[in-house]
Amino acid sequence: MPIVVQKYGGSSVADVEKIRKVAQRVKAKREAGYQVVVVVSAMGDTTDDLLSLAKQVSPDPPRRELDMLLTCGERISMALLSMALQELEVPAISFTGSQSGIITNDTHSQARIVEVRPYRVFEELDRGKVVIVAGYQGVSYKKEVTTLGRGGSDTTAVALAAALEAEACEIYSDVDGIFSADPRVVPDARKLESLTYDEMQELASAGAKVLNAQAVEFAKAKGIVILARTAHGQGTGTAVQELAGPADTRVKGVTAEQEMAVLSAASERVRLPELLEFLDARGVRGRALSFDGLLGREPRAYIAVPLQDVHGLEAVQKDLATRFGDDVSLQEQVGTVTCVGAGINADWGYLSRALLAAEELGARVHAVHTSPLQLSLLVDKAYLKPLTARLHREFLGT
């Protein structure tokens, strides 16, 4: 029998009634002739609630202990879904990330999966059971419980799908697929029928919340088709896969990243390798690095830092001041608006139009980052939503 991996996000398992509906959907998939592995996120806002609880105890909780705490949320979901399936007379068993063989590096809060050993998953599937796995978590080679960062349940699902050689990985949420922009910002955003792995990875890394960037990386490496669908109803969703034929050169999507900060360092007084090692030791990842020092200005390095997985920002800022003094500053009033599409930087056309659109809105562009698939503008946070809507209208016509 073919294997399908399904992943249900926090909104899909937010309460007991929704968990029962998920159980019905899983049962139907099994009755359609599939072996089913289900990956679940924590219920609703459980992870945020646990993080808030931790910060009431400590403004900068130790990351090891934070991982021990935050992984409780997914364990609750997996056990409840297993109970709901058994109430429907569907044999089921729940596993933590470590029990299902998710092996990670030893970076707490932002671990990366390095290997999947799904021996117990295969055993239970062979016994006719639905296997429910707690997403977002794994175990390191040092036997430490780790978490994969926000959106990590997607990564769990796709990594398992690859290891199990599944037919597909179905990612369920409260929206029917992937849209050309956040519908809450751009009401006329279009649902995309398909995306390439590269396009989806660029959107995810630039702030689109619907899929995790590392999950797409796993899918691409193993050729796993990702189907992003709604957990409510029977929508067709969006397929993420390698498409045959020439690349579609249109802009596919526009997304914004608000949880962003920019580190500014005086290049002549701060050794950049030393600063990067400092950030790495604290799990602070950078999305883009640029330099400014032309025409007699003081040379400075700028590092764009997504804050989504940064725990203890105040402690990081304090350590920066202690280590580097005034030579390094951190600014939080900026964010990025990113357009994604094949060939977007084949000429200056898209960049020129994007800069003109920002100028018309009165938005100062602090920096520009480009790649073969991505055009990203760094602007003040006040302009993120209007610029997203403006560029969507400019490049997608709505």
Side-chain angles (χ1 to χ4, degrees), residues 196 198-199 242-252 341-344 372-373:
T196 67
D198 289 339
E199 289 168 340
E242 205 58 65
L243 301 177
D248 185 342
T249 58
R250 294 174 300 174
V251 171
K252 289 293 187 69
I344 194 169
L373 286 167

Side-chain angles (χ1 to χ4, degrees), residues 222-261:
K222 297 295 184 178
I224 299 295
V225 177
I226 300 176
L227 302 172
R229 293 173 168 169
T230 177
H232 317 292
Q234 301 295 326
T236 56
T238 302
V240 180
Q241 60 191 327
E242 205 58 65
L243 301 177
D248 185 342
T249 58
R250 294 174 300 174
V251 171
K252 289 293 187 69
V254 183
T255 188
E257 175 64 273
Q258 179 167 316
E259 296 299 314
M260 177 77 66

Side-chain angles (χ1 to χ4, degrees), residues 307-319:
L307 296 178
Q308 189 177 23
D309 293 312
V310 177
H311 298 296
L313 181 61
E314 291 181 4
V316 171
Q317 289 176 299
K318 183 178 179 181
D319 289 349

